[in-house]
Amino acid sequence: LNMGRDTYQVPVSLFETNRATVLEALKAQNVTDGWIYVNGGTSETRYDSDHEPLFRQESYFWYLWGVPDADCAGLISLQTGHAILLVPELPPDYATIMGRIRSPEEWKAKHGVNAVRYTNQLDQIIREGEESPKVHCLEGRNSDSDSLYKAPLETITSLMKHGFHVDTDILFPVVANSRVFKSEAELSLLRHVSELTSFAHAYVMRNTTPGMSEYQSESLFRHYCYYNYGCRLVGYTPICGCGPNAAILHYGHTGEPNARLIEDGQMCLYDMGAEYCGYGSDITCSFPVSGTFTPAQRIVYEGVLAAQVAVYDMAQPGVSFVDCHKRAELEILKALVKLDIVVPNGTPLEDLVEMRLGAVFMPHGLGHLIGIDTHDVGGYLEDCPPRIMQPGLKSLRTSRVLQEKMTLTVEPGCYFITHLIHEALDPSNSLSAYLNKDVLLNYIGFGGVRLEDVIEIIPGGVVNYTVCPRTVAEVEHVVQGGKWPPTQDEAPELCRTRLLSTHTS
């Protein structure tokens, strides 16, 4: 799979490996007979019109099949591992509007499956097989969106009508957990898309100037990723917040469409990630549009950077992601002490972390699993540590203990959010005793700083796939027009192992 020219080649064996991983996980639970059935995404039109939005495949189906087309499905024999791709049987006039109709043999060759049949032959295929008439379908709740992934009711009804047993309990947690741990091919693809996203961020930093609109920075990013690397999609709506907008965590949506004029002296917080062949990146850079940090901007920025470094120093298999989150908060509080915003009054900063003072300034979680979805699945499965319902920690998208082959984001931030500041300064709030009201109120309108990298957990530590400018010197160099990537790594503690071996296009 690729976008032509010299774009990155994704082997179809990636999806064969994913199918094998799921089969092995089911085998470990003594589930060895019957079928796996997974439905792909369906083609849709916009409301009551005939406009067709650009289709993006459903993520579970993509994980197992790597087929971008709509209205497909897939069957896997638990007994043999035989993979059957089900495609729609299209009418002849489809070719007039949408292009030549592929033959089953072409589908089979393109996607490396054992057989290709039509979706309307599902019942017939199961009757023909030697496997037991039991079909495992996906159904379960996504812990990030709280949305329920529903098994296709019409298909289930038809299967049961024909005497097949349908199970919707076993498959979902198995596939969700399988997606947490990446294969070598997945890791290579995630590294590629994170590196190109990094290059795009550096390009945007170099070309964003006072007087531009935020959306122009967004357009530079989209163009760079698509023109140079064939990334037609981004992984999520780009966040391009400048000045006070940098304190809006998910700025850039339809109601706040990256439309502010960028003013000299402001901080820009740009959270953008490319997607390629179904896998995405999620990277945030913060920088002074003038090219030079003010003293206050520098202290906040270096506090957030110190939080990243502290996390990379401790993160390894066996470490709780909750502990990483708290360590990041500690570093941010240290920076706020320097600014005389936090006044410990003799209380250890570690105690203030436990009192959740850090959540006033970092109300989101430290990061999340990443892969096919930006906020990838598996964060709170039944056998995982539960969500901690405290400020800041309740927004942590996983509380799992880190394990090898996990890919996550690390995105500490420090924001000055008006309503959170006023709530914290209320005399009835015990946290107000540790805040310098006169100083803190002056920071309303500052915005915020966030730094976000994509990392892989390896034995004994992490590998950082992000190769963005990160130190103050690096950021100022690039914003002022300097080249990137550098010829020397001045911050090896950031674990950017390929920083000096990458190149931009």
Side-chain angles (χ1 to χ4, degrees):
L1 303 178
N2 62 82
M3 284 291 285
R5 291 176 64 88
D6 57 351
T7 55
Y8 186 90
Q9 307 286 312
V10 178
V12 295
S13 59
L14 183 154
F15 307 101
E16 296 171 5
T17 298
N18 290 348
R19 294 194 292 270
T21 296
V22 170
L23 290 174
E24 283 298 313
L26 288 168
K27 184 178 179 181
Q29 296 187 20
N30 295 317
V31 180
T32 58
D33 203 9
W35 297 88
I36 292 171
Y37 173 82
V38 178
N39 214 39
T42 56
S43 53
E44 297 179 348
T45 57
R46 186 168 64 192
Y47 303 120
D48 63 341
S49 76
D50 64 353
H51 169 72
E52 298 181 43
L54 183 63
F55 176 75
R56 197 272 194 184
Q57 187 58 268
E58 192 282 318
S59 296
Y60 281 103
F61 186 78
W62 182 260
Y63 174 75
L64 291 170
W65 300 94
V67 175
D69 306 77
D71 304 316
C72 296
L75 272 174
I76 306 171
S77 165
L78 285 166
Q79 184 175 325
T80 66
H82 199 74
I84 304 172
L85 177 63
L86 306 175
V87 300
E89 189 170 14
L90 300 167
D93 60 358
Y94 175 95
T96 305
I97 307 298
M98 304 298 283
R100 190 176 66 83
I101 299 172
R102 293 193 201 105
S103 69
E105 291 73 23
E106 289 174 306
W107 282 99
K108 180 180 175 182
K110 181 178 177 64
H111 295 290
V113 295
N114 298 103
V116 174
R117 303 281 291 273
Y118 293 117
T119 51
N120 57 16
Q121 297 176 316
L122 175 61
D123 296 347
Q124 177 186 343
I125 295 167
I126 296 175
R127 281 197 302 270
E128 291 172 353
E130 298 179 0
E131 294 79 1
S132 75
K134 185 170 186 176
V135 182
H136 295 273
C137 295
L138 283 170
E139 183 164 296
R141 189 166 298 279
N142 185 309
S143 61
D144 273 304
S145 65
D146 200 37
S147 296
L148 185 65
Y149 182 107
K150 290 285 291 181
L153 181 60
E154 185 177 340
T155 301
I156 289 176
T157 302
S158 175
L159 289 170
M160 294 177 70
K161 181 180 177 181
H162 287 87
F164 304 126
H165 175 69
V166 177
D167 182 280
T168 58
D169 295 324
I170 293 173
L171 187 60
F172 184 86
V174 169
V175 183
N177 195 60
S178 296
R179 284 175 57 182
V180 172
F181 304 98
K182 307 300 190 291
S183 69
E184 290 302 321
E186 288 180 295
L187 293 173
S188 180
L189 176 52
L190 282 168
R191 174 168 240 159
H192 169 73
V193 75
S194 294
E195 288 178 352
L196 75 88
T197 295
S198 301
F199 302 153
H201 270 283
Y203 176 77
V204 171
M205 292 167 71
R206 188 183 299 112
N207 289 282
T208 296
T209 58
M212 290 174 57
S213 291
E214 295 163 333
Y215 68 79
Q216 292 178 294
S217 293
E218 176 187 351
S219 74
L220 291 174
F221 180 87
R222 288 179 179 269
H223 170 73
Y224 186 95
C225 296
Y226 199 2
Y227 185 86
N228 291 296
Y229 295 98
C231 298
R232 194 176 192 186
L233 299 177
V234 289
Y236 52 94
T237 303
I239 299 167
C240 294
C242 297
N245 290 346
I248 303 172
L249 299 185
H250 281 184
Y251 180 70
H253 56 84
T254 302
E256 296 281 0
N258 292 332
R260 184 184 180 91
L261 199 67
I262 304 169
E263 300 176 21
D264 196 17
Q266 290 181 333
M267 286 291 294
C268 295
L269 186 159
Y270 287 178
D271 185 338
M272 300 181 284
E275 180 178 300
Y276 185 79
C277 284
Y279 285 75
S281 188
D282 185 0
I283 290 173
T284 306
C285 293
S286 297
F287 60 94
V289 70
S290 68
T292 305
F293 289 91
T294 67
Q297 289 171 347
R298 178 168 183 154
I299 290 172
V300 174
Y301 183 92
E302 290 190 325
V304 175
L305 183 60
Q308 275 198 319
V309 171
V311 170
Y312 300 152
D313 185 56
M314 68 182 292
Q316 61 179 309
V319 172
S320 165
F321 202 50
V322 174
D323 291 341
C324 293
H325 177 104
K326 291 180 178 180
R327 180 60 189 275
E329 287 184 333
L330 177 64
E331 296 302 320
I332 291 167
L333 290 182
K334 289 178 182 177
L336 295 173
V337 170
K338 291 180 182 178
L339 291 170
D340 201 31
I341 289 173
V342 169
V343 184
N345 296 324
T347 303
L349 291 180
E350 291 81 0
D351 291 354
L352 295 182
V353 168
E354 295 301 325
M355 294 166 64
R356 310 307 309 130
L357 180 61
V360 174
F361 303 97
M362 191 175 91
H364 60 72
L366 174 64
H368 51 81
L369 297 163
I370 187 167
I372 298 175
D373 291 318
T374 304
H375 299 154
D376 217 12
V377 295
Y380 288 101
L381 298 175
E382 283 190 11
D383 58 348
C384 297
R387 191 184 298 270
I388 300 171
M389 298 309 295
Q390 296 177 9
L393 294 174
K394 65 184 179 182
S395 300
L396 191 58
R397 297 184 184 273
T398 183
S399 58
R400 292 180 73 143
V401 171
L402 300 177
Q403 293 176 258
E404 190 178 348
K405 304 291 187 183
M406 282 183 171
T407 50
L408 307 99
T409 65
V410 174
E411 51 180 303
C414 181
Y415 317 86
F416 299 94
I417 301 172
T418 303
H419 78 95
L420 294 182
I421 289 172
H422 286 302
E423 289 171 11
L425 289 173
D426 189 297
S428 64
N429 190 329
S430 61
L431 297 178
S432 64
Y434 304 100
L435 298 171
N436 186 331
K437 179 178 180 179
D438 293 337
V439 175
L440 179 53
L441 289 176
N442 288 330
Y443 279 80
I444 291 178
F446 176 100
V449 169
R450 177 164 68 250
L451 299 175
E452 181 176 15
D453 293 345
V454 175
I455 67 166
E456 175 197 347
I457 304 299
I458 63 172
V462 307
V463 170
N464 189 350
Y465 289 174
T466 305
V467 289
C468 287
R470 280 294 183 242
T471 69
V472 165
E474 290 173 348
V475 170
E476 292 183 341
H477 168 75
V478 171
V479 177
Q480 292 170 19
K483 292 183 178 180
W484 191 260
T487 56
Q488 283 189 309
D489 184 0
E490 67 172 59
E493 64 273 15
L494 288 171
C495 306
R496 301 173 294 183
T497 55
R498 280 171 49 91
L499 177 64
L500 305 183
S501 60
T502 54
H503 63 279
T504 58
S505 296

